[in-house]
């Protein structure tokens, strides 16, 4: 199985400041023939289901604010929240869907 | 609009089984794989398996092999996840999620399963 790691475990960011979360996969999730990275990011708030933010490593899901962006390729990825809002307090998970089983990172808690 | 509506919370005794349903609407049920993911209290997201509603094919996570069964009823656009031999560490919120074009774009609201004697 592909193992996903995230850093940091948690971070506190002031309102309006940038939050950066890192995700690393134990093997590349870049599919050569399509040049797509099989990597997604989710936001999880208590009492709510996970919400897809980013797929294909950098494609923003419809309706997701443009302060959320994803980057990276191969084994190293980043989720950036450019200007943290109060409603962004949540746990963020990366997920690879390159190779079954799909696996999630352990999560990064973002707080104010 | 796409909706996945799950069945209500369950309380089960150790050793029992639980069957959670996930009713899909707003799209062609047989057109997309459905996955089941759970989150135990204070823990992360754990993938359990998927079902192809078109033909009923399944793929289960190794840690659930022999205990989980995923089925579907295409006549009512509903998928089911049954977990047997429940233990206290199966206490979790169980989600169904629809896969499409990279990632899980739609999720059910979650079903809390509590295992307690």
């Amino acid at each position: 199985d592909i193992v996903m790691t995230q850093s940091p475990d948690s971070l506190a960011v002031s309102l309006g400041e940038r939050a950066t979360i890192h995700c690393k996969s134990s093997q590349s999730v870049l599919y050569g023939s399509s040049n797509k990275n099989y990597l997604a990011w989710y936001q999880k708030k208590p009492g709510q289901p996970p919400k897809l933010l980013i797929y294909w490593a950098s494609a923003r899901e419809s309706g997701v604010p443009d302060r959320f962006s994803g980057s990276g390729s191969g084994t190293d990825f980043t989720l950036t929240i450019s200007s943290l809002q109060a409603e962004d307090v949540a746990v963020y998970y990366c997920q690879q869907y390159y190779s079954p089983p799909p696996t999630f990172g352990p999560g990064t808690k973002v707080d104010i | 609009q796409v909706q996945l509506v799950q069945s209500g919370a369950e309380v089960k005794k150790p050793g029992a089984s639980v069957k959670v349903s996930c009713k899909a609407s707003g799209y062609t049920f047989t057109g997309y794989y459905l996955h089941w993911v759970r989150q135990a209290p204070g823990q992360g997201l754990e993938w359990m398996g998927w079902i192809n509603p078109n033909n009923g094919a399944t793929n289960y996570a190794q840690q659930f092999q022999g205990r989980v069964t995923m089925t579907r009823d295409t006549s009512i656009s509903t998928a089911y996840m049954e977990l047997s031999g429940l233990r206290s560490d199966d206490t979790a919120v169980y989600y169904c999620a629809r896969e499409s074009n990279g990632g899980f774009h739609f999720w059910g609201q979650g079903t809390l399963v509590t295992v307690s004697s």
Side-chain angles (χ1 to χ4, degrees):
Chain A
D1 299 0
I2 296 178
V3 177
M4 308 299 290
T5 56
Q6 291 181 230
S7 63
D9 295 336
S10 64
L11 75 162
V13 177
S14 300
L15 289 174
E17 295 300 305
R18 178 185 299 260
T20 303
I21 301 168
H22 302 281
C23 172
K24 189 174 181 67
S25 56
S26 61
Q27 63 189 75
S28 176
V29 298
L30 173 62
Y31 189 55
S33 62
S34 66
N35 201 34
K36 285 185 173 181
N37 287 281
Y38 283 52
L39 189 285
W41 288 96
Y42 299 87
Q43 177 190 65
K44 179 70 172 69
K45 296 180 180 180
Q48 297 183 20
K51 176 185 178 181
L52 178 67
L53 299 174
I54 303 288
Y55 57 102
W56 301 131
S58 61
R60 194 178 302 111
E61 175 72 328
S62 175
V64 172
D66 60 7
R67 63 180 180 273
F68 291 92
S69 63
S71 62
S73 185
T75 61
D76 292 280
F77 301 90
T78 300
L79 175 70
T80 301
I81 310 172
S82 61
S83 176
L84 192 80
Q85 304 300 303
E87 61 266 32
D88 301 334
V89 170
V91 179
Y92 292 84
Y93 294 90
C94 60
Q95 178 210 29
Q96 69 79 23
Y97 46 94
Y98 175 87
S99 169
T103 45
F104 293 90
T108 294
K109 185 175 182 180
V110 174
D111 214 335
I112 304 290
Chain B
Q1 74 283 19
V2 174
Q3 278 195 305
L4 299 172
V5 179
Q6 299 183 219
S7 48
E10 303 262 14
V11 179
K12 296 291 182 181
K13 294 195 181 302
S17 298
V18 68
K19 191 171 185 177
V20 180
S21 67
C22 171
K23 182 170 177 59
S25 61
Y27 72 97
T28 302
F29 178 66
T30 53
Y32 300 87
Y33 282 37
L34 278 173
H35 296 250
W36 290 89
V37 175
R38 75 177 187 179
Q39 184 175 39
Q43 302 300 307
L45 301 172
E46 182 178 29
W47 180 79
M48 300 181 67
W50 57 249
I51 183 167
N52 178 350
N54 186 46
N55 59 14
T58 56
N59 184 24
Y60 304 140
Q62 188 169 9
Q63 62 266 39
F64 298 105
Q65 292 274 0
R67 284 209 304 143
V68 71
T69 304
M70 296 178 187
T71 57
R72 92 292 190 216
D73 184 339
T74 57
S75 69
I76 55 172
S77 300
T78 299
Y80 303 92
M81 186 284 300
E82 184 169 21
L83 189 62
S84 62
L86 289 170
R87 309 182 291 250
S88 57
D89 62 359
D90 291 317
T91 293
V93 178
Y94 290 76
Y95 297 98
C96 59
R98 195 193 89 170
E99 173 191 344
S100 61
N101 188 29
F104 300 168
H105 290 247
F106 299 97
W107 294 71
Q109 82 276 19
T111 297
L112 175 62
V113 175
T114 303
V115 183
S116 173
S117 55

